[in-house]
Amino acid sequence: MKKHLKLDLILKYMSTKLDDIPKRPTTIVREAELNFSKSESNMMFKLLCDDGYICEHSTEGYYGIKYKGLIFLENGGYQLEYKIYCRKKLAAKISDFVDIIVKPIGILTALLISAWNIIKLLEFFDGIKSSIS
């Protein structure tokens, strides 16, 4: 299971259990029937807190979901953010390819065509001069 999906599943579980959210990360993960280690669940909850989607109610590690988290999940969550990131990464690769390969080939082609046309013009005018003389 991808990490983005795991984060979305935690938010989804917390959003469906608004009245009775378990308070500890390990309990939330267990009740949501997700199998994460304690350290992984703690890191995930820290990330969710840092992103502002859940809040830590006290220093004892009790968590609750924020309305911002509900809206974020409704708008696609971490999976949508990851898809957008992948699209941007692909667009950057294509842009780099165009800048490195396609543009120089286009410039070189334009220069060669211009040189070819100049040569043909010079041949044409030399032909006119020789026919006049």
Side-chain angles (χ1 to χ4, degrees):
M1 183 182 310
K2 290 189 175 186
K3 292 175 175 77
H4 305 94
L5 178 61
K6 290 178 182 180
L7 291 164
D8 284 346
L9 289 173
I10 289 172
L11 282 175
K12 185 175 182 179
Y13 176 77
M14 291 178 79
S15 69
T16 58
K17 301 287 185 180
L18 288 174
D19 294 335
D20 189 29
I21 297 175
K23 303 299 182 201
R24 296 225 175 251
T26 52
T27 310
I28 293 171
V29 169
R30 185 178 64 244
E31 300 243 343
E33 297 178 5
L34 304 169
N35 295 321
F36 310 145
S37 66
K38 184 177 180 179
S39 62
E40 185 178 15
S41 64
N42 287 333
M43 288 188 294
M44 292 172 126
F45 276 80
K46 177 72 174 140
L47 174 68
L48 290 167
C49 277
D50 291 345
D51 288 346
Y53 302 127
I54 64 173
C55 57
E56 189 171 5
H57 289 296
S58 67
T59 57
E60 298 172 18
Y62 295 128
Y63 293 92
I65 191 166
K66 290 182 177 181
Y67 197 69
K68 180 180 177 181
L70 295 173
I71 293 171
F72 175 71
L73 186 62
E74 187 177 304
N75 290 336
Y78 283 99
Q79 289 181 314
L80 180 63
E81 276 190 352
Y82 180 68
K83 287 178 185 177
I84 291 169
Y85 166 76
C86 288
R87 278 190 225 127
K88 285 181 181 178
K89 190 174 170 184
L90 178 62
K93 282 184 181 179
I94 291 171
S95 177
D96 290 345
F97 173 78
V98 168
D99 287 343
I100 293 170
I101 296 178
V102 177
K103 283 182 181 178
I105 290 174
I107 291 169
L108 183 62
T109 303
L111 289 173
L112 290 174
I113 290 172
S114 296
W116 178 258
N117 286 330
I118 289 170
I119 291 170
K120 288 298 183 183
L121 281 171
L122 291 174
E123 287 176 358
F124 177 74
F125 285 117
D126 282 339
I128 291 176
K129 283 183 183 177
S130 61
S131 66
I132 295 175
S133 313

